[in-house]
Each structure stands twice: as structure tokens, then as C-alpha cells.
Amino acid sequence: MVAELWNTLVGFTISVTVAVALVTVLRPLALRAFGVSAAYTCWVLVPTMICAVMIPAPSTHDPLVETTFTFLRGVSQPLGNSVHVMNTMVAPAQILLLLAWGAGTIVSVFVTLLRQRRYWRSLGQVIRDDSGVLRAERATGPALIGFLFPRLMLPASFEQCHTAMERTMMLAHEEVHRRRADPLANAFGELVRCLQWFNPLVRWAHGIYRQHQELACDAIAAGADFKQRAIYAELLVKTQRSLDDLNVFPLGAAWHPVHPLTARLASLRRHAPSVAVSRLGASVLGLTALVAAYGGWTMRAEAAAATGGVPIALRVNWSVEHAPKGSTPTKGFERRYLVTDTIVPSGAALRLFFPSKSGAHEYELNCTPKVLSPPLVITPDGQKVSGRFWIECAFKRRDGVTLSYHPKLVTWDNQEIGIKVGENDGAGGKLVYRVMINPSTSKARIEQARAAQIATQER
């Protein structure tokens, strides 16, 4: 349970960090090509990349997934090897770090709710008018309250403080927020920020994301007409307040900016692309985000083999050498062999027995092979070992004596790797057990192992 939670947190952190880095690179290019509104679509990368990591991995038997994975593995194999991190941390350290993460998340959520409460209190008396719109005594601009079913809130003196054109523009801004489901997106952003409270890149990106959201709404609400944009800019200056204003709140969307006013004014001075170009850009960027997330999801297909039950053809060649006291290799030296061909699901344990004879003990071998993808593992001592299979073994004597020998092996497809265990036979002689393990996922080896199993059952 601890290891699974730890791996989930690591995968979540990596996906968010990579998504933010991609947005940072792609958005300036999208801004120049398609405009402010379309460039905001780049942030779709964050939830799509999170979904690519959090939802169950696909099956490698799916033809489309297998084709995509094969292509991506060939393109990005060197990068995959360099960034793969395998969980080798001891359980106590994992528990302490998970407790620290949980405590930080709880504190972050509490601070967010406290900010929301402070914002609500700053509004003064709030009533509902005859049209169902909320009216706040000390609000300075329109806002959408809530995130699942956002409600429009207006200042009590909204009609007295603003002209009809100004009111139309401000309400148009809030309507864009509603159509884009920005309050729900903001709540999701706050949740990600709370879960990633330790990640400085995410904390920085959260503020940038809110800036880009306001710029995108301004671009749509102000329209493409230069004169109308000039009026909109004057309205921003008129309603601008200090950044420390309590009307900046986390759960919802408001007219008041959460960033310097100069950024919004500079954005309005840019040439506005046509509606067709903006929609085309948003579609292209959204599709790019989905393709990137799908690529990341398919790259997890083989990585999920360790827990997904991908069949592994396993050949175990087990021999015991018994040298009684005073014997030599040419006299009194006995060798016995046990060969097993079987199919084991990746991540499942195989149990084998070596029967006792001539003073040898009866041993039990537990062998658990797992597929590695990318084929790189970091050992507990920090060394990087390249291989396709990670095999954990444990020896146990059937007379009740448990050995502390638990080898962990890394090997490639169809390459043998060995284990050697030696002990005294209790009468002055020597016992040496050798186990050679050869795993493979090739179709030929799997068919060979299946035929061997059938032949064994028919005997």
C-alpha cells in the first residue's frame, strides 16, 4: 500500500512537472501563431498528462497501443532511460515522506479555504435580487461564485457606477468564464497546487495560469474592433485595485485581475486574429495535448507489465552438487539436475522444490520475474543496471531453516543468469546449489514453455 501510494505520488509529480514545462515552451509559439485565446488552450496539457499517468495503463496486446508504443520507444528510448526512476527507497523513508506530503497538503487546503472565507467576508452583506443574481455590498466588480454551479455576483451599485457599455463588457467577460468552465478549472488548479505544495514550478505556474486565463477572456470579451478594445482597456484601468485586494479569491472567476494590469493592457494592444484562426489554433493545440497524453499513456503499457500479468516464459535449471567429507570431484561427487519450463505472469511468484537426496536438504525457491520498461533499474546502492527483467528470489529450507539470502537479478531477454548457494551437509561434507534462470517474452519461448507444461501434465 505504501509503495503504491509512493509510486502514484512520484508519477503525479513527474506528469505535472513535464506538462508545465511543455506549456512554458509551447505557449509563446502558440501566442504568435494563433493569438491569446487559442494559446490558453496549451494548459489542457496539465489535466491530460495527469490522466495519462493516473488512469490504468493499456494492454500491450491492443494492436494500436502496441504500434504506438513501438514507435515511441524507438524515437525516445535514450531519453526514457535517463529519466526513469525506480522505487528503491526503504519503507520507513517512504512513510515519513508520505506523512510530510499529507501534512503539507492538509495545510495547503486549509489555507485555500481560509482565503475563500476571507474573500466572502470582505464582500459585506450579500443578498439575492428578484432576478436571482447575488448582490454584494462591498464588491467592486462582477464575479462567478462557486465552481460546480457558479452563480453571478454583482456589486450592489453596479448600475450606478458603470455605463451600459461598461456593464455589457464586464458581463461578457464573466460569460466567457462561464462558457469555458473556468471556475471548475480554477478549482482543479487549486487542488493540483495543494497536492504539489512542495513543487516550486507548480506554485509559480499556478499564478501564470490565472494570468493567461484572464488574458484569454479579455481577448474574447473585448472583441477585435480597435475602438472597442480601447474602451475595454479604459474600463480595466478604472476598476483596477491593489493586488492585495481580498477580492482575489481561489474558487471562482472574477473581473478583478490576479496579475499586473500592464499585462492585460499590453495584450489588448496586440493584433487580434480572426475567429477562424483562433478556433483553428485552439483545435490544433487541444488535439496536440490529447496526442501527447495518449503517447505518454501508451508508453506505460509495458511498464505496467510488472503488475499487469504479461506472460513470461521462465526456464529454471536447478542443480545440486554434494561432496561428502573426504570426497574429490572424481570420487564421491554427485550432481543432480532439475529443469523447469513454465509460464509465469509478470509480477507473480513461482515456487519450486528441490527434493532431498544423499544428505541434501529439501529446498524451496520463490522466484518473481518482472518486466522492466524502460530497461533500466536503479539499485539500492545507487548504481544503474541495464536489463529487461528484474527477478527477485528467495531460498527457504524445508526443514524450517529460513535463509537470509534474497538475491535480486537483472537480465535481458533469453539470457541466463545464475545464483549459487553453498552450505555444509552436517556431516563434514559440502552442498552447493546452483540456479540458472532464463526469462523471455518472445512468442517462440512462450510456445515452447507451454508445450513443455502440456507434456509434463500428460506423463
Side-chain angles (χ1 to χ4, degrees), residues 277-295:
V277 171
S278 182
R279 289 180 177 177
L280 174 63
S283 301
V284 170
L285 294 171
L287 182 61
T288 301
L290 291 175
V291 170
Y294 177 77

Side-chain angles (χ1 to χ4, degrees), residues 57-81:
S59 170
T60 53
H61 300 294
D62 188 309
L64 180 60
V65 171
E66 185 176 3
T67 302
T68 306
F69 173 76
T70 302
F71 170 75
L72 292 175
R73 181 172 57 180
V75 172
S76 62
Q77 184 65 43
L79 177 61
N81 283 347

Side-chain angles (χ1 to χ4, degrees), residues 392-439:
E392 298 184 22
C393 299
F395 282 93
K396 181 178 180 181
R397 244 169 50 180
R398 300 302 302 281
D399 59 358
V401 177
T402 301
L403 302 180
S404 58
Y405 186 52
H406 300 284
K408 297 180 179 180
L409 314 173
V410 178
T411 186
W412 286 98
D413 195 290
N414 206 26
Q415 290 190 2
E416 235 179 11
I417 193 166
I419 307 167
K420 179 180 177 181
V421 178
E423 66 168 358
N424 296 324
D425 64 358
K430 182 180 293 185
L431 291 168
V432 177
Y433 291 86
R434 286 185 173 87
V435 180
M436 304 301 293
I437 302 174
N438 187 330

Side-chain angles (χ1 to χ4, degrees), residues 2-62:
V2 173
E4 291 177 358
L5 183 58
W6 173 261
N7 291 334
T8 300
L9 176 59
V10 171
F12 179 72
T13 302
I14 293 175
S15 66
V16 173
T17 303
V18 170
V20 169
L22 288 175
V23 171
T24 304
V25 174
L26 293 177
R27 186 184 178 275
L29 303 176
L31 180 63
R32 287 193 290 269
F34 303 113
V36 178
S37 181
Y40 174 62
T41 311
C42 290
W43 286 101
V44 175
L45 269 169
V46 176
T48 54
M49 291 295 287
I50 291 176
C51 290
V53 171
M54 301 303 293
I55 63 178
S59 170
T60 53
H61 300 294
D62 188 309

